[in-house]
Amino acid sequence: NVEATDSKNLRVKLVLLGDSGVGKSCIVLRFVRGQFDPSSKVTVGASFLSQTVALQDSTTVKFEIWDTAGQERYAALAPLYYRGAAVAVVVYDITNPQSFNKAQYWVKELQKHGSPDIVLALVGNKADLQEKREVSIEDGMNHAEKNGMFFIETSAKTADNINQLFEEIAKRLP
Ligand code: GTP
Ligand code: MG
């Protein structure tokens, strides 16, 4: 939910969804702590972190981030985390077409069962691995456009577009 704590301070529940290994936890770690962990461990259940972003117009947005576990055995838990979320960030790995298919599955699921006014973002992560790319920017962009989503490619490794992702989401809040 987006909640006004006062006129200029928003608190926003955000959930990350996507296949295991696409880099959800690394995106969050980069955003919240400015770090990258090349030996990041798979998430068990989900983890919670928060981070505040200040916008140009002096609004602040506190993101309460639920970083879900992508492994199939945790799929049934996802609704616990996306229910009531104001924002869902669906992540895939640009070197892994199967993860792009999984992202499309999550988009459908969110459209069916998420909040009607949920802000959806589609993120192609690992953009630093250009030589291994198997999902084109166009495919990502088209899928996002068709579904009324914000689209961006990121790298948690190099930090490319990580802050931009959260700033753009903050600007799109209702
Ligand atoms: P689950 O918790 O199982 O759902 O996976 P996850 O999506 O949280 O993946 P995680 O963030 O743990 O990252 C998985 C692996 O990808 C790790 O070895 C990371 O180091 C690597 N990785 C994550 N982001 C990037 C990136 O932007 N570029 C590159 N080259 N590797 C990345
Ligand atoms: Mg994880």
Side-chain angles (χ1 to χ4, degrees):
N1 301 51
V2 180
E3 268 177 54
T5 50
D6 73 46
S7 59
K8 290 277 179 184
N9 301 307
L10 299 175
R11 196 150 56 84
V12 174
K13 180 180 171 186
L14 179 150
V15 63
L16 284 114
L17 294 162
D19 228 349
S20 182
V22 298
K24 297 179 297 300
S25 297
C26 288
I27 288 171
V28 176
L29 187 70
R30 173 60 82 185
F31 175 55
V32 174
R33 303 235 172 89
Q35 296 167 354
F36 177 70
D37 177 5
S39 56
S40 175
K41 297 207 176 50
V42 301
T43 303
V44 173
S47 78
F48 178 82
L49 280 162
S50 74
Q51 174 69 308
T52 301
V53 166
L55 297 183
Q56 300 254 314
D57 63 357
S58 84
T59 304
T60 67
V61 180
K62 183 182 183 191
F63 286 109
E64 298 178 336
I65 303 170
W66 285 99
D67 169 25
T68 66
Q71 287 185 333
E72 199 52 43
R73 71 182 81 156
Y74 301 111
L77 296 178
L80 297 178
Y81 301 104
Y82 68 64
R83 207 170 285 145
V87 180
V89 176
V90 178
V91 184
Y92 64 92
D93 169 353
I94 67 154
T95 73
N96 180 347
Q98 201 185 306
S99 75
F100 187 56
N101 291 339
K102 194 60 188 275
Q104 299 179 24
Y105 160 84
W106 283 119
V107 172
K108 275 193 216 130
E109 170 114 355
L110 289 161
Q111 286 170 339
K112 265 193 258 169
H113 303 296
S115 308
D117 56 353
I118 195 166
V119 173
L120 296 176
L122 183 64
V123 174
N125 189 44
K126 308 200 186 182
D128 57 288
L129 300 177
Q130 285 302 328
E131 69 288 354
K132 290 191 181 161
R133 176 191 287 279
E134 291 200 31
V135 182
S136 69
I137 296 185
E138 290 71 25
D139 284 351
M141 248 163 43
N142 288 338
H143 192 72
E145 200 175 321
K146 255 193 279 172
N147 291 282
M149 305 173 80
F150 169 65
F151 175 71
I152 196 166
E153 285 193 351
T154 59
S155 170
K157 184 175 181 181
T158 66
D160 200 34
N161 275 348
I162 297 292
N163 288 337
Q164 286 83 345
L165 163 64
F166 290 92
E167 280 162 21
E168 290 300 324
I169 288 168
K171 287 187 206 161
R172 284 169 172 75
L173 295 170

mmCIF file of all heavy atoms in Angstrom, residues 98-130:
data_model
loop_
_atom_site.group_PDB
_atom_site.id
_atom_site.type_symbol
_atom_site.label_atom_id
_atom_site.label_comp_id
_atom_site.label_asym_id
_atom_site.label_seq_id
_atom_site.Cartn_x
_atom_site.Cartn_y
_atom_site.Cartn_z
ATOM 1 N N GLN A 98 14.604 -18.643 -20.400
ATOM 2 C CA GLN A 98 13.656 -19.320 -19.515
ATOM 3 C C GLN A 98 13.209 -18.380 -18.387
ATOM 4 O O GLN A 98 12.048 -18.406 -17.974
ATOM 5 C CB GLN A 98 14.345 -20.547 -18.933
ATOM 6 C CG GLN A 98 13.421 -21.612 -18.418
ATOM 7 C CD GLN A 98 14.243 -22.730 -17.757
ATOM 8 O OE1 GLN A 98 15.157 -23.291 -18.357
ATOM 9 N NE2 GLN A 98 13.918 -23.021 -16.509
ATOM 10 N N SER A 99 14.120 -17.553 -17.939
ATOM 11 C CA SER A 99 13.758 -16.607 -16.870
ATOM 12 C C SER A 99 12.829 -15.513 -17.399
ATOM 13 O O SER A 99 12.032 -14.951 -16.650
ATOM 14 C CB SER A 99 15.003 -15.993 -16.224
ATOM 15 O OG SER A 99 15.608 -15.024 -17.057
ATOM 16 N N PHE A 100 12.927 -15.243 -18.710
ATOM 17 C CA PHE A 100 12.013 -14.268 -19.333
ATOM 18 C C PHE A 100 10.604 -14.869 -19.426
ATOM 19 O O PHE A 100 9.613 -14.186 -19.169
ATOM 20 C CB PHE A 100 12.551 -13.878 -20.718
ATOM 21 C CG PHE A 100 11.782 -12.764 -21.388
ATOM 22 C CD1 PHE A 100 11.592 -11.535 -20.774
ATOM 23 C CD2 PHE A 100 11.258 -12.949 -22.657
ATOM 24 C CE1 PHE A 100 10.885 -10.507 -21.405
ATOM 25 C CE2 PHE A 100 10.544 -11.931 -23.299
ATOM 26 C CZ PHE A 100 10.362 -10.708 -22.664
ATOM 27 N N ASN A 101 10.510 -16.162 -19.744
ATOM 28 C CA ASN A 101 9.209 -16.845 -19.737
ATOM 29 C C ASN A 101 8.591 -16.805 -18.344
ATOM 30 O O ASN A 101 7.398 -16.564 -18.185
ATOM 31 C CB ASN A 101 9.346 -18.307 -20.162
ATOM 32 C CG ASN A 101 9.711 -18.447 -21.616
ATOM 33 O OD1 ASN A 101 9.502 -17.520 -22.411
ATOM 34 N ND2 ASN A 101 10.269 -19.592 -21.984
ATOM 35 N N LYS A 102 9.440 -17.045 -17.338
ATOM 36 C CA LYS A 102 8.955 -17.038 -15.957
ATOM 37 C C LYS A 102 8.448 -15.648 -15.581
ATOM 38 O O LYS A 102 7.429 -15.507 -14.887
ATOM 39 C CB LYS A 102 10.070 -17.491 -15.016
ATOM 40 C CG LYS A 102 9.616 -17.856 -13.625
ATOM 41 C CD LYS A 102 8.610 -18.995 -13.658
ATOM 42 C CE LYS A 102 7.965 -19.279 -12.305
ATOM 43 N NZ LYS A 102 8.752 -20.177 -11.461
ATOM 44 N N ALA A 103 9.140 -14.626 -16.067
ATOM 45 C CA ALA A 103 8.714 -13.245 -15.797
ATOM 46 C C ALA A 103 7.314 -13.011 -16.367
ATOM 47 O O ALA A 103 6.464 -12.386 -15.729
ATOM 48 C CB ALA A 103 9.711 -12.247 -16.399
ATOM 49 N N GLN A 104 7.061 -13.546 -17.568
ATOM 50 C CA GLN A 104 5.747 -13.368 -18.196
ATOM 51 C C GLN A 104 4.661 -14.063 -17.371
ATOM 52 O O GLN A 104 3.547 -13.567 -17.246
ATOM 53 C CB GLN A 104 5.782 -13.892 -19.625
ATOM 54 C CG GLN A 104 6.806 -13.124 -20.465
ATOM 55 C CD GLN A 104 6.898 -13.609 -21.902
ATOM 56 O OE1 GLN A 104 5.965 -14.190 -22.432
ATOM 57 N NE2 GLN A 104 8.037 -13.350 -22.517
ATOM 58 N N TYR A 105 5.023 -15.198 -16.792
ATOM 59 C CA TYR A 105 4.103 -15.902 -15.904
ATOM 60 C C TYR A 105 3.760 -15.030 -14.693
ATOM 61 O O TYR A 105 2.595 -14.892 -14.322
ATOM 62 C CB TYR A 105 4.720 -17.245 -15.465
ATOM 63 C CG TYR A 105 4.098 -17.803 -14.209
ATOM 64 C CD1 TYR A 105 2.932 -18.555 -14.267
ATOM 65 C CD2 TYR A 105 4.669 -17.548 -12.958
ATOM 66 C CE1 TYR A 105 2.342 -19.053 -13.104
ATOM 67 C CE2 TYR A 105 4.089 -18.034 -11.796
ATOM 68 C CZ TYR A 105 2.936 -18.787 -11.874
ATOM 69 O OH TYR A 105 2.356 -19.256 -10.729
ATOM 70 N N TRP A 106 4.781 -14.396 -14.096
ATOM 71 C CA TRP A 106 4.534 -13.557 -12.911
ATOM 72 C C TRP A 106 3.676 -12.344 -13.250
ATOM 73 O O TRP A 106 2.830 -11.932 -12.457
ATOM 74 C CB TRP A 106 5.844 -13.119 -12.251
ATOM 75 C CG TRP A 106 6.489 -14.218 -11.445
ATOM 76 C CD1 TRP A 106 7.714 -14.776 -11.657
ATOM 77 C CD2 TRP A 106 5.922 -14.899 -10.318
ATOM 78 N NE1 TRP A 106 7.944 -15.761 -10.730
ATOM 79 C CE2 TRP A 106 6.863 -15.858 -9.897
ATOM 80 C CE3 TRP A 106 4.715 -14.790 -9.626
ATOM 81 C CZ2 TRP A 106 6.627 -16.698 -8.808
ATOM 82 C CZ3 TRP A 106 4.475 -15.625 -8.544
ATOM 83 C CH2 TRP A 106 5.440 -16.574 -8.147
ATOM 84 N N VAL A 107 3.896 -11.784 -14.434
ATOM 85 C CA VAL A 107 3.092 -10.626 -14.847
ATOM 86 C C VAL A 107 1.616 -11.017 -14.906
ATOM 87 O O VAL A 107 0.750 -10.312 -14.378
ATOM 88 C CB VAL A 107 3.569 -10.072 -16.211
ATOM 89 C CG1 VAL A 107 2.605 -8.998 -16.723
ATOM 90 C CG2 VAL A 107 4.985 -9.503 -16.085
ATOM 91 N N LYS A 108 1.336 -12.170 -15.513
ATOM 92 C CA LYS A 108 -0.062 -12.652 -15.600
ATOM 93 C C LYS A 108 -0.641 -12.871 -14.215
ATOM 94 O O LYS A 108 -1.780 -12.490 -13.925
ATOM 95 C CB LYS A 108 -0.119 -13.982 -16.370
ATOM 96 C CG LYS A 108 -0.198 -13.800 -17.867
ATOM 97 C CD LYS A 108 -0.562 -15.134 -18.528
ATOM 98 C CE LYS A 108 0.158 -15.274 -19.859
ATOM 99 N NZ LYS A 108 0.869 -16.560 -20.010
ATOM 100 N N GLU A 109 0.121 -13.516 -13.363
ATOM 101 C CA GLU A 109 -0.333 -13.800 -12.004
ATOM 102 C C GLU A 109 -0.656 -12.509 -11.244
ATOM 103 O O GLU A 109 -1.665 -12.418 -10.546
ATOM 104 C CB GLU A 109 0.771 -14.594 -11.285
ATOM 105 C CG GLU A 109 0.539 -14.751 -9.807
ATOM 106 C CD GLU A 109 0.281 -16.191 -9.387
ATOM 107 O OE1 GLU A 109 0.184 -17.060 -10.275
ATOM 108 O OE2 GLU A 109 0.176 -16.406 -8.166
ATOM 109 N N LEU A 110 0.199 -11.502 -11.407
ATOM 110 C CA LEU A 110 -0.024 -10.220 -10.727
ATOM 111 C C LEU A 110 -1.241 -9.508 -11.278
ATOM 112 O O LEU A 110 -1.987 -8.861 -10.544
ATOM 113 C CB LEU A 110 1.214 -9.326 -10.869
ATOM 114 C CG LEU A 110 2.413 -9.784 -10.051
ATOM 115 C CD1 LEU A 110 3.704 -9.164 -10.586
ATOM 116 C CD2 LEU A 110 2.229 -9.432 -8.573
ATOM 117 N N GLN A 111 -1.456 -9.622 -12.584
ATOM 118 C CA GLN A 111 -2.627 -8.978 -13.179
ATOM 119 C C GLN A 111 -3.912 -9.638 -12.683
ATOM 120 O O GLN A 111 -4.922 -8.979 -12.495
ATOM 121 C CB GLN A 111 -2.540 -9.035 -14.714
ATOM 122 C CG GLN A 111 -1.508 -8.053 -15.241
ATOM 123 C CD GLN A 111 -1.216 -8.225 -16.714
ATOM 124 O OE1 GLN A 111 -1.465 -9.299 -17.281
ATOM 125 N NE2 GLN A 111 -0.680 -7.190 -17.336
ATOM 126 N N LYS A 112 -3.845 -10.947 -12.461
ATOM 127 C CA LYS A 112 -5.015 -11.673 -11.968
ATOM 128 C C LYS A 112 -5.255 -11.444 -10.482
ATOM 129 O O LYS A 112 -6.378 -11.269 -10.044
ATOM 130 C CB LYS A 112 -4.834 -13.190 -12.194
ATOM 131 C CG LYS A 112 -5.471 -13.692 -13.499
ATOM 132 C CD LYS A 112 -5.526 -15.214 -13.504
ATOM 133 C CE LYS A 112 -4.407 -15.779 -14.378
ATOM 134 N NZ LYS A 112 -4.217 -17.223 -14.246
ATOM 135 N N HIS A 113 -4.177 -11.479 -9.686
ATOM 136 C CA HIS A 113 -4.345 -11.547 -8.238
ATOM 137 C C HIS A 113 -3.734 -10.387 -7.457
ATOM 138 O O HIS A 113 -3.881 -10.326 -6.248
ATOM 139 C CB HIS A 113 -3.765 -12.858 -7.700
ATOM 140 C CG HIS A 113 -4.355 -14.075 -8.331
ATOM 141 N ND1 HIS A 113 -5.685 -14.415 -8.200
ATOM 142 C CD2 HIS A 113 -3.808 -15.024 -9.132
ATOM 143 C CE1 HIS A 113 -5.915 -15.538 -8.883
ATOM 144 N NE2 HIS A 113 -4.796 -15.918 -9.455
ATOM 145 N N GLY A 114 -3.003 -9.484 -8.129
ATOM 146 C CA GLY A 114 -2.409 -8.338 -7.425
ATOM 147 C C GLY A 114 -3.442 -7.232 -7.218
ATOM 148 O O GLY A 114 -4.575 -7.337 -7.697
ATOM 149 N N SER A 115 -3.064 -6.179 -6.501
ATOM 150 C CA SER A 115 -3.955 -5.019 -6.339
ATOM 151 C C SER A 115 -4.253 -4.444 -7.719
ATOM 152 O O SER A 115 -3.373 -4.405 -8.574
ATOM 153 C CB SER A 115 -3.277 -3.930 -5.506
ATOM 154 O OG SER A 115 -2.795 -4.469 -4.316
ATOM 155 N N PRO A 116 -5.497 -3.975 -7.946
ATOM 156 C CA PRO A 116 -5.873 -3.462 -9.263
ATOM 157 C C PRO A 116 -5.018 -2.255 -9.695
ATOM 158 O O PRO A 116 -4.771 -2.082 -10.874
ATOM 159 C CB PRO A 116 -7.340 -3.041 -9.102
ATOM 160 C CG PRO A 116 -7.784 -3.550 -7.778
ATOM 161 C CD PRO A 116 -6.600 -3.956 -6.982
ATOM 162 N N ASP A 117 -4.555 -1.461 -8.733
ATOM 163 C CA ASP A 117 -3.780 -0.260 -9.086
ATOM 164 C C ASP A 117 -2.275 -0.460 -8.878
ATOM 165 O O ASP A 117 -1.516 0.494 -8.754
ATOM 166 C CB ASP A 117 -4.277 0.933 -8.260
ATOM 167 C CG ASP A 117 -4.206 0.653 -6.757
ATOM 168 O OD1 ASP A 117 -3.906 -0.510 -6.378
ATOM 169 O OD2 ASP A 117 -4.430 1.582 -5.963
ATOM 170 N N ILE A 118 -1.831 -1.722 -8.865
ATOM 171 C CA ILE A 118 -0.417 -2.015 -8.618
ATOM 172 C C ILE A 118 0.468 -1.418 -9.727
ATOM 173 O O ILE A 118 0.088 -1.426 -10.894
ATOM 174 C CB ILE A 118 -0.205 -3.550 -8.489
ATOM 175 C CG1 ILE A 118 1.144 -3.883 -7.874
ATOM 176 C CG2 ILE A 118 -0.416 -4.246 -9.845
ATOM 177 C CD1 ILE A 118 1.264 -5.340 -7.418
ATOM 178 N N VAL A 119 1.599 -0.859 -9.339
ATOM 179 C CA VAL A 119 2.587 -0.367 -10.304
ATOM 180 C C VAL A 119 3.516 -1.531 -10.620
ATOM 181 O O VAL A 119 4.104 -2.122 -9.723
ATOM 182 C CB VAL A 119 3.386 0.824 -9.719
ATOM 183 C CG1 VAL A 119 4.524 1.218 -10.646
ATOM 184 C CG2 VAL A 119 2.460 2.006 -9.446
ATOM 185 N N LEU A 120 3.620 -1.859 -11.915
ATOM 186 C CA LEU A 120 4.422 -3.011 -12.327
ATOM 187 C C LEU A 120 5.674 -2.559 -13.077
ATOM 188 O O LEU A 120 5.599 -1.723 -13.973
ATOM 189 C CB LEU A 120 3.615 -3.926 -13.250
ATOM 190 C CG LEU A 120 2.377 -4.608 -12.677
ATOM 191 C CD1 LEU A 120 1.659 -5.400 -13.761
ATOM 192 C CD2 LEU A 120 2.785 -5.535 -11.529
ATOM 193 N N ALA A 121 6.811 -3.141 -12.702
ATOM 194 C CA ALA A 121 8.056 -2.870 -13.417
ATOM 195 C C ALA A 121 8.628 -4.192 -13.925
ATOM 196 O O ALA A 121 8.583 -5.206 -13.227
ATOM 197 C CB ALA A 121 9.059 -2.177 -12.498
ATOM 198 N N LEU A 122 9.133 -4.178 -15.146
ATOM 199 C CA LEU A 122 9.814 -5.341 -15.717
ATOM 200 C C LEU A 122 11.294 -4.998 -15.815
ATOM 201 O O LEU A 122 11.661 -3.963 -16.389
ATOM 202 C CB LEU A 122 9.245 -5.650 -17.107
ATOM 203 C CG LEU A 122 9.812 -6.885 -17.807
ATOM 204 C CD1 LEU A 122 9.481 -8.172 -17.041
ATOM 205 C CD2 LEU A 122 9.282 -6.979 -19.242
ATOM 206 N N VAL A 123 12.139 -5.849 -15.241
ATOM 207 C CA VAL A 123 13.569 -5.562 -15.159
ATOM 208 C C VAL A 123 14.379 -6.685 -15.793
ATOM 209 O O VAL A 123 14.280 -7.841 -15.378
ATOM 210 C CB VAL A 123 13.998 -5.392 -13.677
ATOM 211 C CG1 VAL A 123 15.507 -5.231 -13.564
ATOM 212 C CG2 VAL A 123 13.293 -4.196 -13.053
ATOM 213 N N GLY A 124 15.174 -6.337 -16.796
ATOM 214 C CA GLY A 124 16.137 -7.264 -17.383
ATOM 215 C C GLY A 124 17.470 -7.048 -16.687
ATOM 216 O O GLY A 124 18.156 -6.039 -16.934
ATOM 217 N N ASN A 125 17.858 -7.954 -15.801
ATOM 218 C CA ASN A 125 19.101 -7.778 -15.027
ATOM 219 C C ASN A 125 20.271 -8.508 -15.690
ATOM 220 O O ASN A 125 20.087 -9.268 -16.625
ATOM 221 C CB ASN A 125 18.877 -8.285 -13.593
ATOM 222 C CG ASN A 125 20.039 -7.929 -12.671
ATOM 223 O OD1 ASN A 125 20.543 -6.803 -12.696
ATOM 224 N ND2 ASN A 125 20.473 -8.890 -11.861
ATOM 225 N N LYS A 126 21.467 -8.255 -15.182
ATOM 226 C CA LYS A 126 22.753 -8.779 -15.689
ATOM 227 C C LYS A 126 23.088 -8.153 -17.036
ATOM 228 O O LYS A 126 23.655 -8.814 -17.923
ATOM 229 C CB LYS A 126 22.758 -10.324 -15.759
ATOM 230 C CG LYS A 126 22.346 -10.992 -14.435
ATOM 231 C CD LYS A 126 22.781 -12.425 -14.322
ATOM 232 C CE LYS A 126 22.206 -13.072 -13.058
ATOM 233 N NZ LYS A 126 22.618 -14.455 -12.853
ATOM 234 N N ALA A 127 22.739 -6.882 -17.211
ATOM 235 C CA ALA A 127 22.994 -6.166 -18.461
ATOM 236 C C ALA A 127 24.491 -6.011 -18.731
ATOM 237 O O ALA A 127 24.883 -5.649 -19.841
ATOM 238 C CB ALA A 127 22.309 -4.804 -18.432
ATOM 239 N N ASP A 128 25.319 -6.292 -17.728
ATOM 240 C CA ASP A 128 26.775 -6.272 -17.949
ATOM 241 C C ASP A 128 27.243 -7.457 -18.791
ATOM 242 O O ASP A 128 28.338 -7.419 -19.356
ATOM 243 C CB ASP A 128 27.507 -6.267 -16.594
ATOM 244 C CG ASP A 128 27.119 -7.451 -15.716
ATOM 245 O OD1 ASP A 128 25.974 -7.450 -15.202
ATOM 246 O OD2 ASP A 128 27.909 -8.392 -15.546
ATOM 247 N N LEU A 129 26.410 -8.487 -18.904
ATOM 248 C CA LEU A 129 26.807 -9.695 -19.653
ATOM 249 C C LEU A 129 26.316 -9.618 -21.112
ATOM 250 O O LEU A 129 25.656 -10.538 -21.607
ATOM 251 C CB LEU A 129 26.259 -10.953 -18.969
ATOM 252 C CG LEU A 129 26.717 -11.186 -17.526
ATOM 253 C CD1 LEU A 129 26.040 -12.423 -16.927
ATOM 254 C CD2 LEU A 129 28.246 -11.353 -17.469
ATOM 255 N N GLN A 130 26.671 -8.532 -21.803
ATOM 256 C CA GLN A 130 26.171 -8.296 -23.171
ATOM 257 C C GLN A 130 26.527 -9.436 -24.129
ATOM 258 O O GLN A 130 25.737 -9.803 -24.991
ATOM 259 C CB GLN A 130 26.738 -6.979 -23.734
ATOM 260 C CG GLN A 130 26.086 -5.738 -23.153
ATOM 261 C CD GLN A 130 24.576 -5.697 -23.360
ATOM 262 O OE1 GLN A 130 24.057 -6.194 -24.359
ATOM 263 N NE2 GLN A 130 23.869 -5.110 -22.413
#
